Amino acid sequence: MSRYVTQDGASLHYEWYPADPGQPVIVFLNGTGQCTRNWQQIRKLLAGEVSVLLFDARGQGRTSPGRKPFSLAGHTRDAAELLQHLQITEAHLAGVSHGGHVALALAGERPDLVRAVAVSGLGAEYGPRVRLVLTSWVRTLQGRGLTAWVREALPLVFGEVFLKTHEGRLEQIEAGLVQRNDSWSLLRLIQGLLQYPHPRVHAEAVQCPVTVLYGDDDPLIGVTQAEELARICRGKPKRFPGAGHTLAAEAPGEFADALREILL
């Protein structure tokens, strides 16, 4: 567990798990409200096959975000800076939701750096439903705090099968999300997200192979939007039946297998 201080003073928390020389590198990019801990199960499933870089973006986990407003360009720049700091010259990217958009933006801007991308929980556009949800989250964080936000978000970020299977652990999951987030940083992240262009804008510029993973029980990103994103990227759509927005948690084995395919 280490830190990298960006050129404008943010302190990024990151974790570097190197494999044998010559193994590919995969960088995991968190979704909103997530942190490096959310990728640990996937990392262990891929242990020995790849070198893994995990990091908390501004507004996530243990990163100290600095005082500048959050932006997609800023998140993309942070990721590129961190890769340069670690002397990683070529990487595969795997991002969920917000992290998926950062992955597409980085791949479009730095084709020399990115070999392939896998995104999940992301569609071609931020439609009215997504913007209404994000606006509601901003108001909830401002008026009622982090615990209220978690309770509002849980039914939207997990599919029905996961919620039913983990019904006895939902309070524990809720407590973990509260513990691992800071309401002010999360608020800034979501406010910045509301200013992002639609993902299709960056998807059109991506030249490397892209796989779009999606659950067919994702209330935020519908099947049509996910498949449209894959079409724009000239990529491969992969459906996860019965899964929701957070595929890495809901179907970790299948998610890891999908990543192995992009590493080939």
Side-chain angles (χ1 to χ4, degrees):
M1 299 182 188
S2 305
R3 290 195 169 272
Y4 168 69
V5 178
T6 66
Q7 294 179 7
D8 63 357
S11 179
L12 304 181
H13 166 81
Y14 73 90
E15 301 170 26
W16 172 235
Y17 300 92
D20 293 335
Q23 295 283 63
V25 175
I26 188 163
V27 182
F28 290 101
L29 299 150
N30 312 335
T32 303
Q34 293 186 340
C35 66
T36 57
R37 179 167 177 168
N38 292 91
W39 294 108
Q40 294 298 337
Q41 188 173 9
I42 303 297
R43 178 185 68 80
K44 291 173 183 176
L45 288 170
L46 296 174
E49 302 176 47
V50 293
S51 294
V52 171
L53 175 61
L54 312 176
F55 76 99
D56 292 330
R58 302 181 196 225
Q60 299 174 341
R62 284 173 278 185
T63 281
S64 300
R67 303 189 64 83
K68 286 195 171 184
F70 294 0
S71 68
L72 181 59
H75 290 300
T76 304
R77 185 169 54 249
D78 287 346
E81 274 190 40
L82 181 57
L83 290 173
Q84 182 178 13
H85 169 70
L86 294 171
Q87 298 182 330
I88 297 171
T89 58
E90 191 175 68
H92 299 73
L93 307 180
V96 57
S97 195
H98 176 271
H101 199 164
V102 175
L104 290 178
L106 182 57
E109 293 176 15
R110 292 291 308 274
D112 60 305
L113 191 59
V114 181
R115 285 199 62 183
V117 175
V119 301
S120 67
L122 191 69
E125 296 187 356
Y126 295 124
R129 176 180 294 169
V130 172
R131 293 196 178 277
L132 282 170
V133 167
L134 294 174
T135 301
S136 176
W137 286 357
V138 166
R139 291 171 179 165
T140 298
L141 285 166
Q142 289 174 328
R144 295 189 289 132
L146 191 55
T147 299
W149 172 80
V150 169
R151 290 173 179 166
E152 187 175 319
L154 277 181
L156 297 174
V157 299
F158 293 115
E160 183 72 17
V161 172
F162 180 90
L163 291 171
K164 185 175 182 179
T165 304
H166 294 78
E167 191 169 4
R169 295 187 56 238
L170 291 180
E171 288 188 6
Q172 180 183 350
I173 293 171
E174 176 186 304
L177 283 167
V178 171
Q179 181 182 13
R180 292 190 290 272
N181 278 282
D182 171 76
S183 59
W184 175 237
S185 294
L186 180 60
L187 175 62
R188 293 172 66 193
L189 179 66
I190 297 171
Q191 287 174 326
L193 179 53
L194 280 165
Q195 306 304 315
Y196 290 6
H198 292 300
R200 68 163 56 246
V201 173
H202 292 96
E204 290 169 351
V206 176
Q207 299 300 314
C208 68
V210 177
T211 302
V212 178
L213 314 174
Y214 63 95
D216 59 12
D217 186 25
D218 184 344
L220 292 174
I221 306 298
V223 170
T224 301
Q225 282 293 322
E227 293 182 345
E228 174 65 7
L229 180 64
R231 185 194 66 78
I232 294 167
C233 294
R234 303 166 299 282
K236 177 183 176 182
K238 184 174 180 60
R239 182 191 299 233
F240 286 58
H245 192 69
T246 314
L247 298 181
E250 298 180 57
E254 294 88 341
F255 193 92
D257 286 342
L259 295 183
R260 290 186 179 99
E261 292 182 16
I262 78 167
L263 295 167
L264 296 176

